Amino acid sequence: MALHLALLIVCLAPARFETAPPPLPTIDEVLARLDRTEAAIDNLSVTTRYVKHDRSMMPGNKPVRVEMTTKFVVDREGRSRYDCEGEQVNFGPKKGEVRTYKGRWSMAFDGKVATSLTSGADGKPHFAEISDYPAWHGVNPLEFTTRYFQKTVTSTLRAKKGRVVEWKARQSRPVVVAETEVFTSKDGKGWKTRYWIDMERGVIVRRAALMMRTPEQGWREYTRIESDDQKETAPGIWLPMRMLYESVDVPADGGPEEMSWRFEGVNSDWVVNQKLPDGLFRLTFPEDLQVNDHRKPKPPTDAK
Protein backbone atom coordinates (compact mmCIF):
# COMPACT_ATOMS: atom_id res chain seq x y z
CA MET A 1 0.00 0.00 0.00
CA ALA A 2 1.49 3.32 -1.03
CA LEU A 3 2.52 5.72 1.69
CA HIS A 4 0.56 8.96 1.56
CA LEU A 5 2.09 12.03 3.18
CA ALA A 6 0.45 15.41 3.31
CA LEU A 7 2.52 18.26 1.96
CA LEU A 8 4.22 20.22 4.70
CA ILE A 9 2.68 23.66 4.30
CA VAL A 10 4.51 26.37 6.20
CA CYS A 11 2.78 29.47 7.44
CA LEU A 12 5.14 32.34 8.07
CA ALA A 13 2.53 35.06 8.59
CA PRO A 14 3.42 37.88 10.95
CA ALA A 15 3.30 36.85 14.59
CA ARG A 16 0.16 37.81 16.46
CA PHE A 17 0.44 38.80 20.09
CA GLU A 18 -2.32 39.85 22.48
CA THR A 19 -0.37 43.06 23.07
CA ALA A 20 2.76 44.44 21.46
CA PRO A 21 5.44 41.85 20.62
CA PRO A 22 7.95 41.38 23.42
CA PRO A 23 11.45 42.74 22.94
CA LEU A 24 13.68 40.54 20.82
CA PRO A 25 15.91 38.27 22.91
CA THR A 26 19.63 38.81 22.64
CA ILE A 27 21.75 36.33 20.74
CA ASP A 28 23.25 35.23 24.07
CA GLU A 29 19.77 34.43 25.40
CA VAL A 30 19.01 32.41 22.25
CA LEU A 31 22.27 30.49 22.55
CA ALA A 32 21.70 29.77 26.25
CA ARG A 33 18.22 28.39 25.52
CA LEU A 34 19.48 26.09 22.76
CA ASP A 35 22.44 25.02 24.91
CA ARG A 36 19.96 23.74 27.51
CA THR A 37 18.26 21.54 24.91
CA GLU A 38 21.56 20.26 23.54
CA ALA A 39 22.81 19.41 27.05
CA ALA A 40 19.58 17.54 27.89
CA ILE A 41 19.94 15.07 25.01
CA ASP A 42 22.52 12.29 25.36
CA ASN A 43 20.99 10.12 22.64
CA LEU A 44 17.88 9.78 20.51
CA SER A 45 16.16 7.02 18.59
CA VAL A 46 13.31 7.39 16.11
CA THR A 47 11.53 5.57 13.30
CA THR A 48 10.86 7.67 10.20
CA ARG A 49 8.71 6.79 7.20
CA TYR A 50 9.98 8.72 4.19
CA VAL A 51 8.86 9.59 0.73
CA LYS A 52 11.93 10.70 -1.22
CA HIS A 53 11.82 12.56 -4.53
CA ASP A 54 15.15 12.76 -6.38
CA ARG A 55 15.80 14.73 -9.55
CA SER A 56 19.46 15.60 -9.00
CA MET A 57 21.09 12.89 -11.12
CA MET A 58 18.14 11.57 -13.11
CA PRO A 59 18.16 11.38 -16.92
CA GLY A 60 16.07 14.18 -18.35
CA ASN A 61 15.75 15.71 -14.86
CA LYS A 62 12.66 13.60 -14.25
CA PRO A 63 12.19 13.04 -10.50
CA VAL A 64 11.98 9.49 -9.16
CA ARG A 65 9.86 8.69 -6.09
CA VAL A 66 10.85 6.02 -3.56
CA GLU A 67 9.61 5.05 -0.09
CA MET A 68 11.62 3.83 2.89
CA THR A 69 11.39 3.33 6.63
CA THR A 70 14.49 3.95 8.74
CA LYS A 71 15.07 3.20 12.41
CA PHE A 72 17.82 5.55 13.63
CA VAL A 73 19.86 5.87 16.83
CA VAL A 74 22.27 8.76 17.38
CA ASP A 75 24.18 10.16 20.34
CA ARG A 76 25.57 13.60 21.10
CA GLU A 77 29.12 12.53 20.13
CA GLY A 78 27.96 11.91 16.56
CA ARG A 79 27.89 8.12 16.69
CA SER A 80 24.99 6.64 14.75
CA ARG A 81 23.24 3.44 13.75
CA TYR A 82 20.34 2.84 11.38
CA ASP A 83 18.40 -0.02 9.84
CA CYS A 84 16.45 0.84 6.69
CA GLU A 85 13.97 -1.09 4.59
CA GLY A 86 12.50 0.23 1.36
CA GLU A 87 13.31 1.31 -2.17
CA GLN A 88 16.39 2.69 -3.87
CA VAL A 89 17.29 3.82 -7.39
CA ASN A 90 19.35 1.77 -9.83
CA PHE A 91 20.64 2.92 -13.23
CA GLY A 92 20.84 0.78 -16.38
CA PRO A 93 21.63 -1.53 -17.95
CA LYS A 94 20.33 0.54 -20.89
CA LYS A 95 21.53 4.11 -21.29
CA GLY A 96 19.20 6.48 -19.50
CA GLU A 97 17.27 3.66 -17.82
CA VAL A 98 16.21 4.23 -14.22
CA ARG A 99 14.72 1.48 -12.07
CA THR A 100 13.82 1.13 -8.41
CA TYR A 101 14.45 -1.95 -6.32
CA LYS A 102 13.63 -3.05 -2.79
CA GLY A 103 16.28 -3.86 -0.22
CA ARG A 104 17.56 -3.46 3.31
CA TRP A 105 20.48 -1.39 4.53
CA SER A 106 22.27 -1.10 7.87
CA MET A 107 25.03 1.27 8.92
CA ALA A 108 26.90 1.93 12.15
CA PHE A 109 29.43 4.68 12.84
CA ASP A 110 31.44 4.62 16.05
CA GLY A 111 33.01 8.04 15.52
CA LYS A 112 36.03 6.68 13.68
CA VAL A 113 34.90 3.91 11.33
CA ALA A 114 31.63 3.36 9.45
CA THR A 115 30.47 -0.20 8.78
CA SER A 116 27.56 -0.94 6.45
CA LEU A 117 25.65 -3.92 5.15
CA THR A 118 23.41 -4.18 2.07
CA SER A 119 20.81 -6.95 1.80
CA GLY A 120 18.04 -7.98 -0.54
CA ALA A 121 14.40 -7.49 0.27
CA ASP A 122 14.44 -11.01 1.78
CA GLY A 123 17.17 -9.97 4.22
CA LYS A 124 19.94 -12.03 2.64
CA PRO A 125 23.22 -10.01 2.82
CA HIS A 126 24.79 -9.05 -0.51
CA PHE A 127 27.92 -7.16 0.51
CA ALA A 128 29.55 -5.27 3.36
CA GLU A 129 31.66 -2.13 3.46
CA ILE A 130 34.01 -0.27 5.76
CA SER A 131 34.67 3.44 5.25
CA ASP A 132 35.92 6.52 7.04
CA TYR A 133 32.59 8.35 7.02
CA PRO A 134 28.92 7.36 7.37
CA ALA A 135 26.43 7.47 4.50
CA TRP A 136 22.76 7.56 5.47
CA HIS A 137 19.57 6.11 4.01
CA GLY A 138 17.31 8.82 5.36
CA VAL A 139 18.17 11.83 7.52
CA ASN A 140 20.19 11.86 10.72
CA PRO A 141 17.55 12.96 13.29
CA LEU A 142 19.94 15.43 14.89
CA GLU A 143 19.59 17.43 11.69
CA PHE A 144 16.01 18.30 12.61
CA THR A 145 16.55 18.71 16.33
CA THR A 146 19.58 20.76 17.46
CA ARG A 147 22.04 20.57 14.55
CA TYR A 148 22.58 21.58 10.94
CA PHE A 149 25.23 20.32 8.52
CA GLN A 150 26.28 17.91 11.33
CA LYS A 151 27.25 20.80 13.63
CA THR A 152 25.40 22.19 16.60
CA VAL A 153 23.50 25.30 15.61
CA THR A 154 24.89 27.07 18.67
CA SER A 155 28.48 26.49 17.55
CA THR A 156 27.65 27.87 14.09
CA LEU A 157 25.96 30.97 15.50
CA ARG A 158 28.89 31.59 17.84
CA ALA A 159 31.57 31.07 15.18
CA LYS A 160 29.79 33.15 12.55
CA LYS A 161 28.64 36.07 14.72
CA GLY A 162 24.96 35.22 14.81
CA ARG A 163 22.37 37.91 15.36
CA VAL A 164 18.65 38.00 16.17
CA VAL A 165 16.57 39.45 13.33
CA GLU A 166 12.83 39.42 14.08
CA TRP A 167 9.77 37.63 15.45
CA LYS A 168 7.78 35.35 13.13
CA ALA A 169 4.95 32.84 13.57
CA ARG A 170 4.98 29.17 12.73
CA GLN A 171 2.06 26.82 13.39
CA SER A 172 0.46 29.66 15.38
CA ARG A 173 3.46 29.90 17.72
CA PRO A 174 5.84 32.86 18.02
CA VAL A 175 9.38 32.05 16.94
CA VAL A 176 12.46 34.20 16.80
CA VAL A 177 14.63 34.31 13.69
CA ALA A 178 18.42 34.31 14.03
CA GLU A 179 21.02 34.22 11.29
CA THR A 180 24.77 34.14 10.78
CA GLU A 181 26.87 36.96 9.42
CA VAL A 182 27.24 37.12 5.64
CA PHE A 183 30.22 35.42 4.06
CA THR A 184 31.23 36.69 0.62
CA SER A 185 33.09 34.23 -1.60
CA LYS A 186 35.74 35.19 -4.16
CA ASP A 187 33.17 35.16 -6.96
CA GLY A 188 31.09 37.77 -5.14
CA LYS A 189 28.28 35.50 -3.91
CA GLY A 190 26.90 36.03 -0.43
CA TRP A 191 26.19 33.08 1.92
CA LYS A 192 24.48 32.73 5.30
CA THR A 193 22.29 30.39 7.36
CA ARG A 194 19.03 31.28 9.10
CA TYR A 195 17.15 29.62 11.99
CA TRP A 196 13.54 29.85 13.28
CA ILE A 197 13.64 29.14 17.04
CA ASP A 198 10.80 28.46 19.48
CA MET A 199 12.29 29.98 22.62
CA GLU A 200 9.68 28.58 25.00
CA ARG A 201 10.28 24.99 23.89
CA GLY A 202 13.96 25.42 23.09
CA VAL A 203 13.71 23.91 19.60
CA ILE A 204 14.65 24.93 16.07
CA VAL A 205 11.58 24.54 13.88
CA ARG A 206 13.14 25.62 10.61
CA ARG A 207 16.66 26.11 9.28
CA ALA A 208 17.85 27.21 5.87
CA ALA A 209 21.03 27.98 3.94
CA LEU A 210 20.85 30.99 1.63
CA MET A 211 22.87 32.52 -1.16
CA MET A 212 22.78 35.86 -3.01
CA ARG A 213 24.29 36.24 -6.47
CA THR A 214 23.31 39.89 -6.91
CA PRO A 215 21.48 42.44 -4.76
CA GLU A 216 18.79 42.56 -7.45
CA GLN A 217 18.05 38.84 -7.06
CA GLY A 218 18.19 39.03 -3.26
CA TRP A 219 18.63 36.13 -0.87
CA ARG A 220 17.53 32.69 -2.09
CA GLU A 221 17.30 29.45 -0.10
CA TYR A 222 19.09 26.51 -1.64
CA THR A 223 18.48 23.97 1.11
CA ARG A 224 16.17 23.86 4.13
CA ILE A 225 14.88 21.63 6.92
CA GLU A 226 11.41 22.06 8.41
CA SER A 227 10.45 20.33 11.68
CA ASP A 228 6.77 20.41 12.57
CA ASP A 229 4.15 19.06 15.00
CA GLN A 230 6.46 19.18 18.00
CA LYS A 231 5.57 16.85 20.88
CA GLU A 232 7.00 16.78 24.39
CA THR A 233 8.58 13.35 24.08
CA ALA A 234 10.38 13.58 27.43
CA PRO A 235 10.06 16.25 30.15
CA GLY A 236 11.21 19.50 28.58
CA ILE A 237 12.30 17.88 25.30
CA TRP A 238 10.16 18.66 22.25
CA LEU A 239 10.70 16.61 19.08
CA PRO A 240 9.03 16.82 15.64
CA MET A 241 6.47 14.36 14.33
CA ARG A 242 6.87 15.60 10.74
CA MET A 243 9.90 16.78 8.81
CA LEU A 244 10.87 18.00 5.37
CA TYR A 245 14.46 18.23 4.10
CA GLU A 246 15.02 19.49 0.61
CA SER A 247 17.64 20.92 -1.70
CA VAL A 248 16.73 23.15 -4.62
CA ASP A 249 18.45 24.45 -7.74
CA VAL A 250 18.45 28.24 -7.91
CA PRO A 251 18.82 29.37 -11.55
CA ALA A 252 21.58 31.89 -12.24
CA ASP A 253 19.10 34.13 -14.07
CA GLY A 254 17.01 34.52 -10.92
CA GLY A 255 14.16 32.33 -12.15
CA PRO A 256 12.01 30.10 -9.93
CA GLU A 257 13.71 27.36 -7.91
CA GLU A 258 13.51 23.72 -8.96
CA MET A 259 13.56 20.78 -6.59
CA SER A 260 16.80 18.78 -6.65
CA TRP A 261 15.83 16.24 -3.98
CA ARG A 262 13.35 16.11 -1.13
CA PHE A 263 12.71 13.93 1.94
CA GLU A 264 9.24 14.13 3.48
CA GLY A 265 8.96 12.13 6.68
CA VAL A 266 6.63 11.12 9.50
CA ASN A 267 8.35 10.33 12.82
CA SER A 268 7.26 7.86 15.48
CA ASP A 269 8.63 5.94 18.46
CA TRP A 270 10.90 8.69 19.72
CA VAL A 271 13.01 7.53 22.69
CA VAL A 272 15.25 9.96 24.57
CA ASN A 273 18.36 9.04 26.59
CA GLN A 274 17.94 5.28 26.61
CA LYS A 275 20.66 2.93 27.84
CA LEU A 276 22.45 1.87 24.66
CA PRO A 277 23.80 -1.66 24.34
CA ASP A 278 27.54 -2.20 23.94
CA GLY A 279 28.66 -2.59 20.34
CA LEU A 280 25.61 -0.80 18.91
CA PHE A 281 27.75 1.47 16.75
CA ARG A 282 29.73 -1.28 14.98
CA LEU A 283 28.22 -3.95 12.70
CA THR A 284 29.31 -7.58 12.77
CA PHE A 285 29.52 -9.14 9.29
CA PRO A 286 28.77 -12.76 8.34
CA GLU A 287 32.03 -14.69 8.02
CA ASP A 288 31.47 -15.76 4.39
CA LEU A 289 30.61 -12.25 3.14
CA GLN A 290 33.08 -10.24 1.08
CA VAL A 291 33.94 -6.94 2.76
CA ASN A 292 34.97 -3.92 0.69
CA ASP A 293 37.30 -1.61 2.60
CA HIS A 294 37.10 1.98 1.32
CA ARG A 295 39.13 3.59 4.07
CA LYS A 296 41.92 5.84 2.88
CA PRO A 297 45.35 4.73 4.06
CA LYS A 298 46.87 6.87 6.78
CA PRO A 299 49.91 8.90 5.67
CA PRO A 300 53.18 7.35 6.84
CA THR A 301 54.94 8.94 9.79
CA ASP A 302 58.66 9.58 9.94
CA ALA A 303 60.53 6.89 11.84
CA LYS A 304 62.26 8.09 14.97
Side-chain angles (χ1 to χ4, degrees):
M1 181 177 178
L3 172 63
H4 298 284
L5 292 177
L7 293 177
L8 304 183
I9 301 174
V10 179
C11 175
L12 289 179
R16 293 181 175 87
F17 299 91
E18 292 183 1
T19 57
L24 283 172
T26 66
I27 189 63
D28 288 336
E29 290 171 331
V30 170
L31 293 171
R33 184 64 186 94
L34 293 178
D35 280 339
R36 285 167 51 194
T37 300
E38 179 77 18
I41 299 174
D42 291 322
N43 62 71
L44 296 169
S45 67
V46 65
T47 298
T48 307
R49 300 169 63 216
Y50 296 101
V51 168
K52 180 184 179 183
H53 300 267
D54 196 343
R55 190 185 64 88
S56 57
M57 299 177 62
M58 302 302 159
N61 285 331
K62 294 182 179 179
V64 174
R65 180 185 187 276
V66 297
E67 298 177 9
M68 67 185 81
T69 298
T70 302
K71 297 180 179 180
F72 226 121
V73 182
V74 294
D75 71 4
R76 66 191 307 168
E77 281 76 35
R79 299 183 298 174
S80 57
R81 163 70 182 262
Y82 71 71
D83 295 286
C84 174
E85 181 175 354
E87 300 171 299
Q88 290 296 307
V89 174
N90 197 6
F91 297 98
K94 297 180 181 179
K95 183 179 180 179
E97 182 179 18
V98 178
R99 298 181 296 172
T100 61
Y101 67 97
K102 293 183 178 181
R104 299 181 182 182
W105 301 267
S106 297
M107 191 284 304
F109 178 60
D110 64 3
K112 297 180 179 180
V113 175
T115 50
S116 60
L117 185 64
T118 297
S119 307
D122 59 359
K124 182 179 180 181
H126 289 170
F127 57 87
E129 295 183 343
I130 303 175
S131 57
D132 293 312
Y133 304 102
W136 296 309
H137 283 68
V139 181
N140 186 317
L142 290 177
E143 291 293 290
F144 43 86
T145 54
T146 60
R147 306 193 183 192
Y148 197 30
F149 296 127
Q150 301 181 46
K151 296 180 180 179
T152 62
V153 169
T154 51
S155 66
T156 299
L157 287 170
R158 286 188 171 97
K160 297 185 177 181
K161 299 179 181 179
R163 66 190 184 99
V164 179
V165 179
E166 61 183 334
W167 287 106
K168 285 280 191 179
R170 186 176 178 84
Q171 292 196 330
S172 301
R173 291 186 58 81
V175 298
V176 69
V177 179
E179 63 182 27
T180 60
E181 65 178 344
V182 176
F183 169 76
T184 303
S185 55
K186 293 182 179 179
D187 59 3
K189 293 188 184 73
W191 307 87
K192 65 180 177 180
T193 53
R194 183 178 290 164
Y195 309 92
W196 287 252
I197 302 159
D198 186 321
M199 290 289 287
E200 180 183 0
R201 294 175 173 176
V203 296
I204 305 159
V205 297
R206 194 176 193 273
R207 62 211 77 193
L210 300 90
M211 64 173 292
M212 182 172 63
R213 288 191 176 91
T214 66
E216 292 74 22
Q217 290 185 10
W219 288 102
R220 303 286 299 275
E221 294 181 358
Y222 61 90
T223 186
R224 49 188 168 250
I225 298 177
E226 300 173 356
S227 306
D228 288 301
D229 291 347
Q230 306 284 338
K231 303 295 183 184
E232 191 173 19
T233 308
I237 299 178
W238 294 78
L239 298 171
M241 297 298 108
R242 294 188 296 134
M243 55 77 62
L244 179 146
Y245 187 5
E246 66 179 347
S247 177
V248 300
D249 296 326
V250 182
D253 62 5
E257 67 183 37
E258 295 181 323
M259 185 268 293
S260 179
W261 50 259
R262 176 189 299 132
F263 287 90
E264 296 175 75
V266 175
N267 296 323
S268 62
D269 303 325
W270 280 107
V271 181
V272 181
N273 297 343
Q274 64 182 302
K275 180 175 175 54
L276 301 178
D278 294 337
L280 177 68
F281 299 115
R282 181 70 70 92
L283 296 181
T284 300
F285 301 136
E287 293 183 0
D288 59 346
L289 194 65
Q290 178 179 342
V291 179
N292 300 315
D293 194 335
H294 299 292
R295 289 173 293 181
K296 294 182 179 179
K298 303 298 181 185
T301 57
D302 295 333
K304 295 292 185 178

